[in-house]
Amino acid sequence: MTNLLEIKALCVNVDGQDILHDLDLTIPNGEVHTLLGPNGSGKTTLMMTIIGYPEYRVTNGQILFDGKDITTLDITERARLGIGISQQRPPTISGVKLKQVLDFIIANARQPVPDINELARAYKIEPFLDRDINAGLSGGEIKSSELFQLLIARPRFVMMDEPDSGVDLEAINIVGQMMNEIFARHHTIRTKERRTGLIITHTGNILDYIHADKAHLILDGYIGYTGNPHILLDQIREHGYGECARCELWRCR
Amino acid sequence: MENSTDLRQAADIDLNQFTTVPDTHRGVLVSPDQLEPGDAEVMAGVGVHVENEDRSGTYILQDFNPLCVPVQTKGLELLPIAVALKKYDWLRKKYCFKAVNADLDKYTLQCASAADPQGYFVHVKKGVKVPFPVQACLYIAQSGIAQTIHNIVILEEDSELQLITGCASRTGVGSAAHLGISEHFIGPKARFTNTMIHSWNPDVEVRSRSGTIVDAGGTFISNYISLRPSKSIQTNPRTWLNGEGASLKYLTIILGFGGSTIDTGGDVYLNGKNSSAELAHRAVCTGGRIYQRGLLTGNTPGCRAHIDCAGMVLDAGEDGFIEAVPGLKALHPDARMSHEASIGRIAPEQVAYLQSRGMSEREAISLLIRGFLDLDIEGLSPELDARIAEIADLAGHGEGI
Ligand SMILES: Nc1ncnc2c1ncn2[C@@H]1O[C@H](COP(=O)(O)OP(=O)(O)OP(=O)(O)O)[C@@H](O)[C@H]1O
Ligand SMILES: [Mg+2]
């Protein structure tokens, strides 16, 4: 199986501060991984660097997507290669409606797009279509709006940053459904159509709703453990992130 | 004495340098078919489509030559002002210079003293709802002239009219001036929508003065869009909401340009009980000086007024800026009036967000500018789309789509 994403020895500096150090990460085609780590460990930084936000400066290392070095491409180019994100805290954009962005996505879609009104109803997005992006939306509604855009865009590689934060117990079912839809994880779907991605979470709770093939643990801007999500999560739940740095799972730097 | 905004920006124009007399050697326009293709294109850019069937009337003034396409709608009259003044005695007596003083300043004096006034006269009879917009183009095709314009629009009780006025100059025209007086009389419960689009060459100077008087229950909606500003534009439309429940909605959109000075205002006198006014100024500065003003004066109980100035500075260059001065004057304790003003840049995280959905930087900035301008008059002017794309190019790093 080929690797869709391959990150080698990545160092990232934000605003004069080194945040990611010598980070390696590989995600094969068709797999969904999860990135676990405490607050401030560099999860969001990694996602924003992969999609290409210019304030996240790569000082060393490489990001390969589908075998191609994308380290110097801009956000648009990376998005058009098939990388999509759902942000932890996306901006509010007054004057631009969610519908306008969806229309753009549809107009530029390579694959046929299903009826968005029907989908919007199914995922309870309808009331937000004609609203300015994220304007006045609750925390949970923002997540739905983010995921809905990905559901329509169907990128080859999707990163979701804390997709369940601020989502209540009822809405989390819908969020879970959307995620499974985005990653094409339903049982009826053939393996080769499955999408690839990275789910970022500090609690790991969302993993009750979607299957992750592998987990990575990030501490202080460095990925030191990769393995079975359930084993890692059990360790974290039992000992906390503080212990992880010292536990036997953590590889020496 | 009524207070009004003091227009002090934009230098005095020496009117002696311009011709105001028609050059008799030039041909007279008798049909829109005679327009040169380039001219028709520029006119379309400011919303005047000479071949469009969805128009209730067309008036074109090319330099000093007026052309009126006969109107089919019953109860609507569209004439060159000179013809109307000869035809109707009451026009001079009851309406001429009743909404704009002839001696307001040297520019109005110039227009008022013209032997053969240019401009349009539109009259909508009682109860008539004009089905399609009436369009007018005030067009400068040669350098060195000063157009002196006098427009009068009268809407009788319970009538409705949409007017599109496009003002533009032929590609390549150098120094020229556009001086204008526009007087609008909106009868009881009548509704007048006036959309004016300007697109000038860099050496044209514009001084236009307009006055609108609104009767009880009447509505005045005014959209002013300056696409390609000239060397200087100075306008200060004044509106008297005299009747009970008279209302005004005013949207001004200025797309600035290096080297130009634009001073737009909007003085409103809320004299009618429960009258209301809502003014929105939007400016995008890519150089040049832009002044957004407006003074709302509340004189009666129950009147409501709001003025909102918002500016976006993209790349102001060395001398560019936006100055927003929304003004309120409450002369009655029950007047409810408010204002807000903000000036900002395009937020990079918003551009980045839209890029992460696959938009180019230029597409993202265009969308943000459109959103900022609050444009729901999309499709009115292809030139507007082109200008926004141009501005987006200037603002971004110039990468194509
Ligand atoms: N613009 C910035 N300037 C300075 N420091 C920053 C900036 N952005 C992020 N950081 C720092 O980088 C570190 C990693 O931040 P990041 O947002 O990637 O953490 P995270 O793992 O996503 O945390 P959380 O679980 O709270 O979302 C933090 O210490 C943060 O303060
Ligand atoms: Mg984060």
Side-chain angles (χ1 to χ4, degrees), chain A residues 53 74-76 79-80 85 87 90-93 95-96 100 104 146 149, chain B residues 349-350 352-361 363 367-368 371 399:
Chain A
Y53 272 61
D74 73 12
I75 304 177
T76 305
R80 290 183 184 180
I85 58 169
Q87 291 193 38
T92 295
I93 307 184
V96 179
Q100 289 177 289
F104 174 87
E146 290 286 287
Q149 293 175 62
Chain B
E349 70 272 15
Q350 297 184 355
Y353 180 87
L354 296 173
Q355 282 186 276
S356 78
R357 301 292 179 227
M359 288 184 203
S360 68
E361 187 185 35
E363 287 167 325
L367 192 59
L368 290 168
E399 287 146 37

PDB file of all heavy atoms in Angstrom, chain A residues 53 74-76 79-80 85 87 90-93 95-96 100 104 146 149, chain B residues 349-350 352-361 363 367-368 371 399:
ATOM      1  N   TYR A  53      -0.633  26.884   5.928  1.00  0.00           N
ATOM      2  CA  TYR A  53      -0.774  28.254   6.441  1.00  0.00           C
ATOM      3  C   TYR A  53       0.605  28.890   6.549  1.00  0.00           C
ATOM      4  O   TYR A  53       1.498  28.326   7.173  1.00  0.00           O
ATOM      5  CB  TYR A  53      -1.488  28.251   7.805  1.00  0.00           C
ATOM      6  CG  TYR A  53      -2.982  28.326   7.671  1.00  0.00           C
ATOM      7  CD1 TYR A  53      -3.681  27.327   6.992  1.00  0.00           C
ATOM      8  CD2 TYR A  53      -3.709  29.393   8.185  1.00  0.00           C
ATOM      9  CE1 TYR A  53      -5.054  27.396   6.849  1.00  0.00           C
ATOM     10  CE2 TYR A  53      -5.089  29.466   8.051  1.00  0.00           C
ATOM     11  CZ  TYR A  53      -5.757  28.468   7.377  1.00  0.00           C
ATOM     12  OH  TYR A  53      -7.118  28.546   7.225  1.00  0.00           O
ATOM     13  N   ASP A  74       1.387  26.649  -1.914  1.00  0.00           N
ATOM     14  CA  ASP A  74       0.488  27.445  -1.076  1.00  0.00           C
ATOM     15  C   ASP A  74      -0.791  26.664  -0.749  1.00  0.00           C
ATOM     16  O   ASP A  74      -0.991  25.549  -1.225  1.00  0.00           O
ATOM     17  CB  ASP A  74       0.197  28.813  -1.709  1.00  0.00           C
ATOM     18  CG  ASP A  74      -0.721  28.740  -2.917  1.00  0.00           C
ATOM     19  OD1 ASP A  74      -1.340  27.674  -3.153  1.00  0.00           O
ATOM     20  OD2 ASP A  74      -0.842  29.745  -3.642  1.00  0.00           O
ATOM     21  N   ILE A  75      -1.628  27.266   0.080  1.00  0.00           N
ATOM     22  CA  ILE A  75      -2.816  26.556   0.579  1.00  0.00           C
ATOM     23  C   ILE A  75      -3.704  26.089  -0.577  1.00  0.00           C
ATOM     24  O   ILE A  75      -4.168  24.948  -0.602  1.00  0.00           O
ATOM     25  CB  ILE A  75      -3.654  27.457   1.511  1.00  0.00           C
ATOM     26  CG1 ILE A  75      -2.793  27.989   2.659  1.00  0.00           C
ATOM     27  CG2 ILE A  75      -4.854  26.705   2.068  1.00  0.00           C
ATOM     28  CD1 ILE A  75      -3.548  28.954   3.575  1.00  0.00           C
ATOM     29  N   THR A  76      -3.939  26.992  -1.534  1.00  0.00           N
ATOM     30  CA  THR A  76      -4.814  26.653  -2.653  1.00  0.00           C
ATOM     31  C   THR A  76      -4.309  25.417  -3.388  1.00  0.00           C
ATOM     32  O   THR A  76      -5.081  24.496  -3.693  1.00  0.00           O
ATOM     33  CB  THR A  76      -4.873  27.834  -3.653  1.00  0.00           C
ATOM     34  OG1 THR A  76      -5.257  29.005  -2.953  1.00  0.00           O
ATOM     35  CG2 THR A  76      -5.853  27.552  -4.768  1.00  0.00           C
ATOM     36  N   ALA A  79      -4.906  22.379  -1.340  1.00  0.00           N
ATOM     37  CA  ALA A  79      -6.335  22.037  -1.301  1.00  0.00           C
ATOM     38  C   ALA A  79      -6.742  21.386  -2.620  1.00  0.00           C
ATOM     39  O   ALA A  79      -7.502  20.416  -2.640  1.00  0.00           O
ATOM     40  CB  ALA A  79      -7.160  23.284  -1.044  1.00  0.00           C
ATOM     41  N   ARG A  80      -6.199  21.911  -3.721  1.00  0.00           N
ATOM     42  CA  ARG A  80      -6.580  21.364  -5.029  1.00  0.00           C
ATOM     43  C   ARG A  80      -5.954  20.006  -5.302  1.00  0.00           C
ATOM     44  O   ARG A  80      -6.444  19.265  -6.153  1.00  0.00           O
ATOM     45  CB  ARG A  80      -6.232  22.364  -6.134  1.00  0.00           C
ATOM     46  CG  ARG A  80      -7.153  23.578  -6.050  1.00  0.00           C
ATOM     47  CD  ARG A  80      -6.924  24.568  -7.149  1.00  0.00           C
ATOM     48  NE  ARG A  80      -7.779  25.746  -6.935  1.00  0.00           N
ATOM     49  CZ  ARG A  80      -7.813  26.789  -7.720  1.00  0.00           C
ATOM     50  NH1 ARG A  80      -7.052  26.820  -8.806  1.00  0.00           N
ATOM     51  NH2 ARG A  80      -8.604  27.806  -7.462  1.00  0.00           N
ATOM     52  N   ILE A  85      -9.477  20.317   5.312  1.00  0.00           N
ATOM     53  CA  ILE A  85      -9.394  20.411   6.771  1.00  0.00           C
ATOM     54  C   ILE A  85     -10.706  20.858   7.393  1.00  0.00           C
ATOM     55  O   ILE A  85     -11.516  21.537   6.765  1.00  0.00           O
ATOM     56  CB  ILE A  85      -8.288  21.403   7.228  1.00  0.00           C
ATOM     57  CG1 ILE A  85      -8.529  22.812   6.662  1.00  0.00           C
ATOM     58  CG2 ILE A  85      -6.914  20.894   6.860  1.00  0.00           C
ATOM     59  CD1 ILE A  85      -7.642  23.888   7.271  1.00  0.00           C
ATOM     60  N   GLN A  87     -11.390  22.897  10.855  1.00  0.00           N
ATOM     61  CA  GLN A  87     -10.573  23.575  11.861  1.00  0.00           C
ATOM     62  C   GLN A  87     -11.168  23.521  13.262  1.00  0.00           C
ATOM     63  O   GLN A  87     -12.382  23.462  13.432  1.00  0.00           O
ATOM     64  CB  GLN A  87     -10.381  25.052  11.468  1.00  0.00           C
ATOM     65  CG  GLN A  87      -9.515  25.237  10.243  1.00  0.00           C
ATOM     66  CD  GLN A  87      -9.083  26.691  10.079  1.00  0.00           C
ATOM     67  OE1 GLN A  87      -8.798  27.398  11.029  1.00  0.00           O
ATOM     68  NE2 GLN A  87      -9.039  27.133   8.828  1.00  0.00           N
ATOM     69  N   PRO A  90     -12.334  27.780  13.406  1.00  0.00           N
ATOM     70  CA  PRO A  90     -12.323  28.498  12.122  1.00  0.00           C
ATOM     71  C   PRO A  90     -12.779  29.942  12.309  1.00  0.00           C
ATOM     72  O   PRO A  90     -13.501  30.237  13.259  1.00  0.00           O
ATOM     73  CB  PRO A  90     -13.322  27.709  11.277  1.00  0.00           C
ATOM     74  CG  PRO A  90     -14.235  27.084  12.259  1.00  0.00           C
ATOM     75  CD  PRO A  90     -13.427  26.804  13.496  1.00  0.00           C
ATOM     76  N   PRO A  91     -12.372  30.830  11.410  1.00  0.00           N
ATOM     77  CA  PRO A  91     -12.777  32.225  11.554  1.00  0.00           C
ATOM     78  C   PRO A  91     -14.247  32.431  11.204  1.00  0.00           C
ATOM     79  O   PRO A  91     -14.842  31.626  10.501  1.00  0.00           O
ATOM     80  CB  PRO A  91     -11.889  32.957  10.540  1.00  0.00           C
ATOM     81  CG  PRO A  91     -11.577  31.933   9.508  1.00  0.00           C
ATOM     82  CD  PRO A  91     -11.523  30.621  10.231  1.00  0.00           C
ATOM     83  N   THR A  92     -14.801  33.508  11.711  1.00  0.00           N
ATOM     84  CA  THR A  92     -16.120  33.956  11.274  1.00  0.00           C
ATOM     85  C   THR A  92     -15.894  34.858  10.070  1.00  0.00           C
ATOM     86  O   THR A  92     -14.982  35.673  10.079  1.00  0.00           O
ATOM     87  CB  THR A  92     -16.794  34.765  12.401  1.00  0.00           C
ATOM     88  OG1 THR A  92     -17.017  33.888  13.494  1.00  0.00           O
ATOM     89  CG2 THR A  92     -18.110  35.361  11.950  1.00  0.00           C
ATOM     90  N   ILE A  93     -16.675  34.656   9.018  1.00  0.00           N
ATOM     91  CA  ILE A  93     -16.498  35.511   7.842  1.00  0.00           C
ATOM     92  C   ILE A  93     -17.810  36.208   7.540  1.00  0.00           C
ATOM     93  O   ILE A  93     -18.724  35.625   6.974  1.00  0.00           O
ATOM     94  CB  ILE A  93     -16.028  34.694   6.621  1.00  0.00           C
ATOM     95  CG1 ILE A  93     -14.778  33.878   6.983  1.00  0.00           C
ATOM     96  CG2 ILE A  93     -15.748  35.621   5.438  1.00  0.00           C
ATOM     97  CD1 ILE A  93     -14.173  33.119   5.834  1.00  0.00           C
ATOM     98  N   GLY A  95     -20.388  38.441   5.656  1.00  0.00           N
ATOM     99  CA  GLY A  95     -20.576  38.813   4.254  1.00  0.00           C
ATOM    100  C   GLY A  95     -20.471  37.638   3.300  1.00  0.00           C
ATOM    101  O   GLY A  95     -20.877  37.727   2.157  1.00  0.00           O
ATOM    102  N   VAL A  96     -19.906  36.524   3.769  1.00  0.00           N
ATOM    103  CA  VAL A  96     -19.799  35.343   2.901  1.00  0.00           C
ATOM    104  C   VAL A  96     -20.635  34.222   3.516  1.00  0.00           C
ATOM    105  O   VAL A  96     -20.440  33.840   4.666  1.00  0.00           O
ATOM    106  CB  VAL A  96     -18.333  34.893   2.739  1.00  0.00           C
ATOM    107  CG1 VAL A  96     -18.257  33.644   1.859  1.00  0.00           C
ATOM    108  CG2 VAL A  96     -17.489  36.008   2.139  1.00  0.00           C
ATOM    109  N   GLN A 100     -22.427  30.019  -0.368  1.00  0.00           N
ATOM    110  CA  GLN A 100     -21.524  30.493  -1.424  1.00  0.00           C
ATOM    111  C   GLN A 100     -20.272  29.631  -1.513  1.00  0.00           C
ATOM    112  O   GLN A 100     -19.787  29.336  -2.598  1.00  0.00           O
ATOM    113  CB  GLN A 100     -21.123  31.952  -1.164  1.00  0.00           C
ATOM    114  CG  GLN A 100     -22.242  32.946  -1.392  1.00  0.00           C
ATOM    115  CD  GLN A 100     -21.806  34.362  -1.042  1.00  0.00           C
ATOM    116  OE1 GLN A 100     -21.635  34.699   0.123  1.00  0.00           O
ATOM    117  NE2 GLN A 100     -21.609  35.193  -2.044  1.00  0.00           N
ATOM    118  N   PHE A 104     -19.183  27.105  -4.582  1.00  0.00           N
ATOM    119  CA  PHE A 104     -17.853  27.092  -5.182  1.00  0.00           C
ATOM    120  C   PHE A 104     -17.318  25.658  -5.226  1.00  0.00           C
ATOM    121  O   PHE A 104     -16.804  25.204  -6.251  1.00  0.00           O
ATOM    122  CB  PHE A 104     -16.881  27.979  -4.388  1.00  0.00           C
ATOM    123  CG  PHE A 104     -15.472  27.886  -4.892  1.00  0.00           C
ATOM    124  CD1 PHE A 104     -15.034  28.715  -5.922  1.00  0.00           C
ATOM    125  CD2 PHE A 104     -14.588  26.935  -4.394  1.00  0.00           C
ATOM    126  CE1 PHE A 104     -13.748  28.600  -6.422  1.00  0.00           C
ATOM    127  CE2 PHE A 104     -13.300  26.812  -4.887  1.00  0.00           C
ATOM    128  CZ  PHE A 104     -12.880  27.651  -5.907  1.00  0.00           C
ATOM    129  N   GLU A 146     -18.211  22.834   9.405  1.00  0.00           N
ATOM    130  CA  GLU A 146     -16.898  22.453   8.886  1.00  0.00           C
ATOM    131  C   GLU A 146     -16.956  21.088   8.215  1.00  0.00           C
ATOM    132  O   GLU A 146     -16.471  20.902   7.094  1.00  0.00           O
ATOM    133  CB  GLU A 146     -15.861  22.417  10.018  1.00  0.00           C
ATOM    134  CG  GLU A 146     -15.483  23.766  10.575  1.00  0.00           C
ATOM    135  CD  GLU A 146     -14.586  24.545   9.624  1.00  0.00           C
ATOM    136  OE1 GLU A 146     -13.398  24.217   9.479  1.00  0.00           O
ATOM    137  OE2 GLU A 146     -15.111  25.482   9.006  1.00  0.00           O
ATOM    138  N   GLN A 149     -18.866  20.872   4.818  1.00  0.00           N
ATOM    139  CA  GLN A 149     -18.105  21.321   3.642  1.00  0.00           C
ATOM    140  C   GLN A 149     -17.215  20.197   3.119  1.00  0.00           C
ATOM    141  O   GLN A 149     -17.054  20.020   1.911  1.00  0.00           O
ATOM    142  CB  GLN A 149     -17.255  22.547   3.988  1.00  0.00           C
ATOM    143  CG  GLN A 149     -18.098  23.778   4.287  1.00  0.00           C
ATOM    144  CD  GLN A 149     -17.244  24.942   4.752  1.00  0.00           C
ATOM    145  OE1 GLN A 149     -16.386  25.425   4.023  1.00  0.00           O
ATOM    146  NE2 GLN A 149     -17.475  25.387   5.971  1.00  0.00           N
TER     147      GLN A 149
ATOM    148  N   GLU B 349      -6.575  35.449   7.790  1.00  0.00           N
ATOM    149  CA  GLU B 349      -7.084  34.115   8.154  1.00  0.00           C
ATOM    150  C   GLU B 349      -8.378  33.791   7.408  1.00  0.00           C
ATOM    151  O   GLU B 349      -8.710  32.630   7.192  1.00  0.00           O
ATOM    152  CB  GLU B 349      -7.243  33.966   9.672  1.00  0.00           C
ATOM    153  CG  GLU B 349      -8.362  34.763  10.312  1.00  0.00           C
ATOM    154  CD  GLU B 349      -7.928  36.165  10.720  1.00  0.00           C
ATOM    155  OE1 GLU B 349      -6.857  36.635  10.262  1.00  0.00           O
ATOM    156  OE2 GLU B 349      -8.672  36.800  11.491  1.00  0.00           O
ATOM    157  N   GLN B 350      -9.094  34.851   6.979  1.00  0.00           N
ATOM    158  CA  GLN B 350     -10.297  34.603   6.183  1.00  0.00           C
ATOM    159  C   GLN B 350      -9.920  34.191   4.757  1.00  0.00           C
ATOM    160  O   GLN B 350     -10.534  33.300   4.172  1.00  0.00           O
ATOM    161  CB  GLN B 350     -11.188  35.845   6.155  1.00  0.00           C
ATOM    162  CG  GLN B 350     -11.693  36.223   7.545  1.00  0.00           C
ATOM    163  CD  GLN B 350     -12.651  37.401   7.510  1.00  0.00           C
ATOM    164  OE1 GLN B 350     -12.883  38.009   6.470  1.00  0.00           O
ATOM    165  NE2 GLN B 350     -13.214  37.723   8.670  1.00  0.00           N
ATOM    166  N   ALA B 352      -7.120  32.722   3.938  1.00  0.00           N
ATOM    167  CA  ALA B 352      -6.549  31.382   4.059  1.00  0.00           C
ATOM    168  C   ALA B 352      -7.650  30.331   4.189  1.00  0.00           C
ATOM    169  O   ALA B 352      -7.586  29.262   3.578  1.00  0.00           O
ATOM    170  CB  ALA B 352      -5.606  31.322   5.260  1.00  0.00           C
ATOM    171  N   TYR B 353      -8.681  30.665   4.953  1.00  0.00           N
ATOM    172  CA  TYR B 353      -9.785  29.718   5.145  1.00  0.00           C
ATOM    173  C   TYR B 353     -10.427  29.363   3.806  1.00  0.00           C
ATOM    174  O   TYR B 353     -10.644  28.194   3.482  1.00  0.00           O
ATOM    175  CB  TYR B 353     -10.823  30.323   6.087  1.00  0.00           C
ATOM    176  CG  TYR B 353     -12.004  29.428   6.366  1.00  0.00           C
ATOM    177  CD1 TYR B 353     -11.970  28.500   7.398  1.00  0.00           C
ATOM    178  CD2 TYR B 353     -13.157  29.498   5.588  1.00  0.00           C
ATOM    179  CE1 TYR B 353     -13.046  27.665   7.651  1.00  0.00           C
ATOM    180  CE2 TYR B 353     -14.243  28.675   5.831  1.00  0.00           C
ATOM    181  CZ  TYR B 353     -14.193  27.761   6.871  1.00  0.00           C
ATOM    182  OH  TYR B 353     -15.263  26.937   7.103  1.00  0.00           O
ATOM    183  N   LEU B 354     -10.706  30.394   3.020  1.00  0.00           N
ATOM    184  CA  LEU B 354     -11.353  30.155   1.726  1.00  0.00           C
ATOM    185  C   LEU B 354     -10.403  29.425   0.776  1.00  0.00           C
ATOM    186  O   LEU B 354     -10.821  28.591  -0.024  1.00  0.00           O
ATOM    187  CB  LEU B 354     -11.844  31.474   1.125  1.00  0.00           C
ATOM    188  CG  LEU B 354     -12.945  32.174   1.939  1.00  0.00           C
ATOM    189  CD1 LEU B 354     -13.247  33.555   1.379  1.00  0.00           C
ATOM    190  CD2 LEU B 354     -14.220  31.325   1.976  1.00  0.00           C
ATOM    191  N   GLN B 355      -9.118  29.725   0.887  1.00  0.00           N
ATOM    192  CA  GLN B 355      -8.140  28.999   0.067  1.00  0.00           C
ATOM    193  C   GLN B 355      -8.127  27.520   0.438  1.00  0.00           C
ATOM    194  O   GLN B 355      -7.985  26.663  -0.425  1.00  0.00           O
ATOM    195  CB  GLN B 355      -6.733  29.580   0.277  1.00  0.00           C
ATOM    196  CG  GLN B 355      -6.488  30.871  -0.471  1.00  0.00           C
ATOM    197  CD  GLN B 355      -5.032  31.294  -0.332  1.00  0.00           C
ATOM    198  OE1 GLN B 355      -4.660  31.927   0.652  1.00  0.00           O
ATOM    199  NE2 GLN B 355      -4.201  30.928  -1.287  1.00  0.00           N
ATOM    200  N   SER B 356      -8.299  27.243   1.712  1.00  0.00           N
ATOM    201  CA  SER B 356      -8.281  25.838   2.130  1.00  0.00           C
ATOM    202  C   SER B 356      -9.488  25.083   1.582  1.00  0.00           C
ATOM    203  O   SER B 356      -9.536  23.865   1.622  1.00  0.00           O
ATOM    204  CB  SER B 356      -8.214  25.722   3.655  1.00  0.00           C
ATOM    205  OG  SER B 356      -9.487  25.966   4.231  1.00  0.00           O
ATOM    206  N   ARG B 357     -10.474  25.825   1.060  1.00  0.00           N
ATOM    207  CA  ARG B 357     -11.610  25.175   0.380  1.00  0.00           C
ATOM    208  C   ARG B 357     -11.375  25.102  -1.129  1.00  0.00           C
ATOM    209  O   ARG B 357     -12.284  24.776  -1.891  1.00  0.00           O
ATOM    210  CB  ARG B 357     -12.899  25.934   0.667  1.00  0.00           C
ATOM    211  CG  ARG B 357     -13.251  26.034   2.135  1.00  0.00           C
ATOM    212  CD  ARG B 357     -13.625  24.678   2.722  1.00  0.00           C
ATOM    213  NE  ARG B 357     -13.939  24.768   4.139  1.00  0.00           N
ATOM    214  CZ  ARG B 357     -13.459  23.929   5.049  1.00  0.00           C
ATOM    215  NH1 ARG B 357     -12.662  22.942   4.702  1.00  0.00           N
ATOM    216  NH2 ARG B 357     -13.801  24.062   6.308  1.00  0.00           N
ATOM    217  N   GLY B 358     -10.188  25.511  -1.561  1.00  0.00           N
ATOM    218  CA  GLY B 358      -9.837  25.366  -2.969  1.00  0.00           C
ATOM    219  C   GLY B 358      -9.848  26.652  -3.776  1.00  0.00           C
ATOM    220  O   GLY B 358      -9.552  26.649  -4.965  1.00  0.00           O
ATOM    221  N   MET B 359     -10.222  27.765  -3.143  1.00  0.00           N
ATOM    222  CA  MET B 359     -10.234  29.014  -3.906  1.00  0.00           C
ATOM    223  C   MET B 359      -8.816  29.535  -4.078  1.00  0.00           C
ATOM    224  O   MET B 359      -7.976  29.350  -3.211  1.00  0.00           O
ATOM    225  CB  MET B 359     -11.039  30.083  -3.167  1.00  0.00           C
ATOM    226  CG  MET B 359     -12.519  29.835  -3.197  1.00  0.00           C
ATOM    227  SD  MET B 359     -13.406  31.175  -2.403  1.00  0.00           S
ATOM    228  CE  MET B 359     -14.908  30.286  -1.978  1.00  0.00           C
ATOM    229  N   SER B 360      -8.595  30.227  -5.204  1.00  0.00           N
ATOM    230  CA  SER B 360      -7.326  30.922  -5.352  1.00  0.00           C
ATOM    231  C   SER B 360      -7.379  32.135  -4.446  1.00  0.00           C
ATOM    232  O   SER B 360      -8.457  32.545  -3.995  1.00  0.00           O
ATOM    233  CB  SER B 360      -7.126  31.360  -6.797  1.00  0.00           C
ATOM    234  OG  SER B 360      -8.067  32.365  -7.113  1.00  0.00           O
ATOM    235  N   GLU B 361      -6.228  32.716  -4.204  1.00  0.00           N
ATOM    236  CA  GLU B 361      -6.186  33.894  -3.348  1.00  0.00           C
ATOM    237  C   GLU B 361      -7.094  34.995  -3.923  1.00  0.00           C
ATOM    238  O   GLU B 361      -7.837  35.655  -3.207  1.00  0.00           O
ATOM    239  CB  GLU B 361      -4.744  34.391  -3.262  1.00  0.00           C
ATOM    240  CG  GLU B 361      -4.574  35.507  -2.269  1.00  0.00           C
ATOM    241  CD  GLU B 361      -3.166  36.070  -2.276  1.00  0.00           C
ATOM    242  OE1 GLU B 361      -2.550  36.125  -3.358  1.00  0.00           O
ATOM    243  OE2 GLU B 361      -2.683  36.453  -1.202  1.00  0.00           O
ATOM    244  N   GLU B 363      -9.717  34.638  -5.950  1.00  0.00           N
ATOM    245  CA  GLU B 363     -11.137  34.304  -5.792  1.00  0.00           C
ATOM    246  C   GLU B 363     -11.598  34.571  -4.368  1.00  0.00           C
ATOM    247  O   GLU B 363     -12.700  35.079  -4.137  1.00  0.00           O
ATOM    248  CB  GLU B 363     -11.378  32.829  -6.146  1.00  0.00           C
ATOM    249  CG  GLU B 363     -11.291  32.536  -7.625  1.00  0.00           C
ATOM    250  CD  GLU B 363     -11.206  31.038  -7.930  1.00  0.00           C
ATOM    251  OE1 GLU B 363     -10.586  30.282  -7.154  1.00  0.00           O
ATOM    252  OE2 GLU B 363     -11.749  30.622  -8.970  1.00  0.00           O
ATOM    253  N   LEU B 367     -14.395  37.366  -3.221  1.00  0.00           N
ATOM    254  CA  LEU B 367     -15.588  36.978  -2.461  1.00  0.00           C
ATOM    255  C   LEU B 367     -15.694  37.804  -1.177  1.00  0.00           C
ATOM    256  O   LEU B 367     -16.779  38.261  -0.805  1.00  0.00           O
ATOM    257  CB  LEU B 367     -15.519  35.483  -2.134  1.00  0.00           C
ATOM    258  CG  LEU B 367     -16.784  34.831  -1.593  1.00  0.00           C
ATOM    259  CD1 LEU B 367     -17.929  34.966  -2.575  1.00  0.00           C
ATOM    260  CD2 LEU B 367     -16.542  33.356  -1.281  1.00  0.00           C
ATOM    261  N   LEU B 368     -14.550  38.029  -0.544  1.00  0.00           N
ATOM    262  CA  LEU B 368     -14.557  38.824   0.690  1.00  0.00           C
ATOM    263  C   LEU B 368     -14.924  40.282   0.410  1.00  0.00           C
ATOM    264  O   LEU B 368     -15.654  40.904   1.177  1.00  0.00           O
ATOM    265  CB  LEU B 368     -13.192  38.735   1.390  1.00  0.00           C
ATOM    266  CG  LEU B 368     -12.882  37.363   2.002  1.00  0.00           C
ATOM    267  CD1 LEU B 368     -11.412  37.263   2.403  1.00  0.00           C
ATOM    268  CD2 LEU B 368     -13.786  37.087   3.194  1.00  0.00           C
ATOM    269  N   GLY B 371     -18.583  40.401  -0.201  1.00  0.00           N
ATOM    270  CA  GLY B 371     -19.268  40.268   1.081  1.00  0.00           C
ATOM    271  C   GLY B 371     -19.224  41.561   1.863  1.00  0.00           C
ATOM    272  O   GLY B 371     -20.214  41.989   2.445  1.00  0.00           O
ATOM    273  N   GLU B 399      -1.497  36.341  -8.120  1.00  0.00           N
ATOM    274  CA  GLU B 399      -1.539  35.033  -8.762  1.00  0.00           C
ATOM    275  C   GLU B 399      -2.874  34.840  -9.457  1.00  0.00           C
ATOM    276  O   GLU B 399      -3.904  35.259  -8.963  1.00  0.00           O
ATOM    277  CB  GLU B 399      -1.348  33.927  -7.721  1.00  0.00           C
ATOM    278  CG  GLU B 399       0.073  33.857  -7.241  1.00  0.00           C
ATOM    279  CD  GLU B 399       0.159  33.462  -5.777  1.00  0.00           C
ATOM    280  OE1 GLU B 399      -0.644  32.638  -5.357  1.00  0.00           O
ATOM    281  OE2 GLU B 399       1.021  34.012  -5.080  1.00  0.00           O
TER     282      GLU B 399
END
